[in-house]
Amino acid sequence: MHNSIYLLKTNGLSKTNGRLAILDLFMAAGQALAHADIEYQLEKTFDRVTIYRTLQTFVEKGILHQIPTTDNTILYGLCKEACQDGHHHDNHVHFICIKCEKTNCLDEVTVPVVKLPKGFQPVHSAMLVKGVCKHCRS
Amino acid sequence: MHNSIYLLKTNGLSKTNGRLAILDLFMAAGQALAHADIEYQLEKTFDRVTIYRTLQTFVEKGILHQIPTTDNTILYGLCKEACQDGHHHDNHVHFICIKCEKTNCLDEVTVPVVKLPKGFQPVHSAMLVKGVCKHCRS
DNA sequence: GTAACTGCAAAATATTTGCATCCTT
DNA sequence: AAGGATGCAAATATTTTGCAGTTAC
C-alpha cells in the first residue's frame, strides 16, 4: 500500500495538511467513510468546505471511489493502486454490516457479470451486500 | 399489475389524493424517481413535506423500494406484487442509463449470489449497472 | 513569484419537526 | 367521532459558491 505523500505526489496534488489528514484517516479506518464521519473525526481542524473539496478532488484523481447508499449520503472508499485519473477499478463488492454499520470494500470479491436484456449495454457495475461482517459474528 | 387504490387498501393506508397522485406517477413513469422528480412533476399540487412523508410510508409498507445512488439522492422504484411490509423482494438489477439518466428496474434480472470471504454472512444484495439503455442505442 | 489551496461568509438546497386543520373511514 | 393525513411555519442540516488571504513548490 502506498503512503499518503506518494499518493498526492503521483497525482499532481500539493501536499497539504488537510489532504494528508484525510488520507491518513482512510488508511487508519480501513473502511468506507462519509463526509460526516471525516468532519467528526477531524474535530474542526479543517473547514467543512475543505473536506468537501478534498473528497471531490480525490474522486476525480481516482484516489477515492464513491460507494452508493440508500440514505442520501455518499460513502467514500480508498482505491487500490490500479486506479488512476477517473478510470476507477473499484469493481469489487461492498459489504455493509447491519450491526456495526460499517461498510467495507471486499477487494478480493469481484462484481459478477450479469446477462442483461437485449439492447442494454453495460459500462460499469456496482454491487452492495448487506449482512453481518466477520467482526460482528462473535 | 395492481392499481393504486388496491395497493393502498391492502396496505391499510387511507386513500388520499396525494398518495394516489404519487402512485400514479410511478406507474406512468415506469422508471425510478427521486423526491425532486416527484415534486417537479406534481407542480406544487402537494406540499414537499407530504411527499417526503408519503415516500417514507410507501417504503415501510413495501410499495416502493429504495435504490442506492452515488449522488446523495435516494431513488425510489415501484415494487412488484411479492413485496410486503418491510420484507422487500427487490433483488433485481437496477440499470442507470448514462445518456438519458433514467434508472430502470430490470425485474427479470436477478442479483447473482457471490461467494464472500469467511465470516461474512449476507442478508440482502443490491446491484447497479451503468450503461446505455435500449432506448438510447439508436 | 505564481498557482494552488484554504477558510470564512453567505447563499442555495434539502430534510425534519411541531402543530393546527382537514379528510377518510 | 376518531384517527390519520396534510399544509404551513420554522428549525436543522447539507452542499455550493465567491472571494480574499495563505501556503506549497
Side-chain angles (χ1 to χ4, degrees):
Chain A
M1 170 75 78
H2 297 130
N3 66 33
S4 306
I5 294 175
Y6 177 88
L7 266 178
L8 292 179
K9 179 173 274 184
T10 54
N11 282 288
L13 298 173
S14 46
K15 178 183 62 171
T16 66
N17 292 337
R19 288 173 177 168
L20 288 173
I22 292 178
L23 275 182
D24 287 347
L25 261 192
F26 273 98
M27 302 218 178
Q31 58 159 295
L33 300 172
H35 178 277
D37 300 324
I38 295 164
E39 193 181 333
Y40 175 74
Q41 292 192 47
L42 291 182
E43 293 178 7
K44 313 278 175 200
T45 319
F46 302 96
D47 195 85
R48 176 185 287 137
V49 177
T50 300
I51 300 174
Y52 278 116
R53 293 197 266 227
T54 302
L55 290 173
Q56 188 179 308
T57 303
F58 284 175
V59 170
E60 282 162 10
K61 293 297 185 178
I63 297 171
L64 297 177
H65 60 271
Q66 298 179 322
I67 302 169
T69 65
T70 48
D71 67 340
N72 55 36
T73 58
I74 304 177
L75 278 179
Y76 298 87
L78 206 50
C79 289
K80 295 297 142 185
E81 359 264 322
C83 293
Q84 55 190 186
D85 270 35
H87 194 281
H88 294 248
H89 294 258
D90 63 331
N91 62 334
H92 53 268
V93 171
H94 292 101
F95 191 90
I96 304 148
C97 181
I98 54 180
K99 290 201 176 174
C100 66
E101 307 256 279
K102 288 177 183 164
T103 295
N104 286 281
C105 296
L106 301 181
D107 296 299
E108 63 278 27
V109 184
T110 304
V111 176
V113 175
V114 291
K115 194 170 176 347
L116 298 175
K118 212 177 162 85
F120 287 88
Q121 188 179 3
V123 171
H124 183 261
S125 299
M127 187 161 177
L128 302 166
V129 179
K130 263 192 190 155
V132 183
C133 77
K134 66 178 174 188
H135 304 298
C136 292
R137 296 214 45 196
S138 49
Chain B
M1 171 75 77
H2 297 129
N3 67 30
S4 306
I5 294 174
Y6 177 89
L7 266 179
L8 292 179
K9 179 173 273 182
T10 55
N11 282 288
L13 297 173
S14 45
K15 178 183 62 170
T16 66
N17 292 337
R19 287 173 177 168
L20 288 173
I22 291 177
L23 275 182
D24 286 346
L25 260 191
F26 274 97
M27 302 217 179
Q31 58 158 296
L33 301 173
H35 178 278
D37 300 324
I38 295 164
E39 193 181 334
Y40 174 74
Q41 291 192 48
L42 292 182
E43 293 176 7
K44 313 277 176 204
T45 319
F46 302 97
D47 195 84
R48 176 185 287 136
V49 176
T50 300
I51 300 174
Y52 279 116
R53 292 195 267 227
T54 303
L55 291 173
Q56 189 179 310
T57 303
F58 285 175
V59 169
E60 281 161 10
K61 293 298 185 178
I63 296 172
L64 296 178
H65 60 270
Q66 298 179 321
I67 303 169
T69 65
T70 48
D71 67 341
N72 55 39
T73 58
I74 304 177
L75 278 179
Y76 299 87
L78 206 52
C79 288
K80 295 298 141 185
E81 359 264 320
C83 292
Q84 55 189 186
D85 269 36
H87 194 279
H88 294 246
H89 295 257
D90 62 331
N91 63 334
H92 54 267
V93 171
H94 292 100
F95 191 91
I96 305 147
C97 181
I98 55 180
K99 290 200 176 174
C100 66
E101 307 257 280
K102 288 177 183 163
T103 296
N104 286 281
C105 295
L106 301 181
D107 296 298
E108 64 278 28
V109 184
T110 304
V111 176
V113 174
V114 291
K115 194 172 179 338
L116 299 174
K118 212 177 163 83
F120 287 88
Q121 187 179 5
V123 171
H124 183 262
S125 299
M127 187 160 177
L128 303 165
V129 179
K130 264 192 190 156
V132 183
C133 78
K134 65 178 173 188
H135 305 296
C136 292
R137 296 217 42 197
S138 49

